[in-house]
Amino acid sequence: MMQIEITLLIAIIGGFVGLAGWLSGRDRKISNDSEWKGAVKQQLDNIQDGVVGTQAAIAEIKGDVNAHSDRIARLEEVAERVDVIQEHGERITAVEESAKQAHHRITDHINNNK
């Protein structure tokens, strides 16, 4: 009977040792998982900060592009006005030449009729 009690006692002690080993391994795994999750979370936070910073930079660039688009539109309007002014200048030059020729013909006509 004593041998059965000793065997039972060894079995119970073995069970407790196994349970203690399992609990220790579980705690170690939970601890390692927590560290890993913390590292991953920190990396994700760093990525998110980078993305937010990039989004802010992109928004600023979009604003600059819109401002440049407005400036380009105004410059195109000015260029169109310059083209019109140049065209008017060419027409005025043609009218001046025509008036000059008409003045010479009138002067010649008046001189011939005297």
Side-chain angles (χ1 to χ4, degrees):
M1 181 87 174
M2 181 75 122
Q3 192 174 18
I4 293 176
E5 291 176 7
I6 292 176
T7 306
L8 185 60
L9 183 62
I10 291 174
I12 292 174
I13 290 173
F16 282 122
V17 168
L19 180 63
W22 178 78
L23 290 174
S24 174
R26 185 186 65 142
D27 290 345
R28 203 173 316 118
K29 183 178 178 186
I30 289 171
S31 175
N32 289 339
D33 286 350
S34 297
E35 289 176 15
W36 179 80
K37 285 179 183 178
V40 169
K41 184 179 181 330
Q42 182 62 42
Q43 290 173 350
L44 289 174
D45 288 344
N46 291 341
I47 291 170
Q48 184 179 10
D49 291 344
V51 168
V52 169
T54 303
Q55 287 173 340
I58 288 172
E60 183 179 337
I61 290 170
K62 282 182 181 178
D64 291 344
V65 167
N66 289 338
H68 286 299
S69 294
D70 293 342
R71 289 182 193 137
I72 289 170
R74 287 190 299 242
L75 287 174
E76 288 173 344
E77 290 173 6
V78 169
E80 289 174 8
R81 287 188 221 138
V82 167
D83 289 343
V84 169
I85 290 170
Q86 286 177 343
E87 183 181 323
H88 286 194
E90 292 169 2
R91 293 169 109 189
I92 290 171
T93 302
V95 169
E96 288 174 342
E97 289 295 322
S98 178
K100 187 177 181 182
Q101 290 174 358
H103 180 68
H104 284 298
R105 285 193 304 262
I106 292 171
T107 303
D108 288 343
H109 183 66
I110 290 175
N111 287 338
N112 288 338
N113 287 339
K114 281 189 180 182

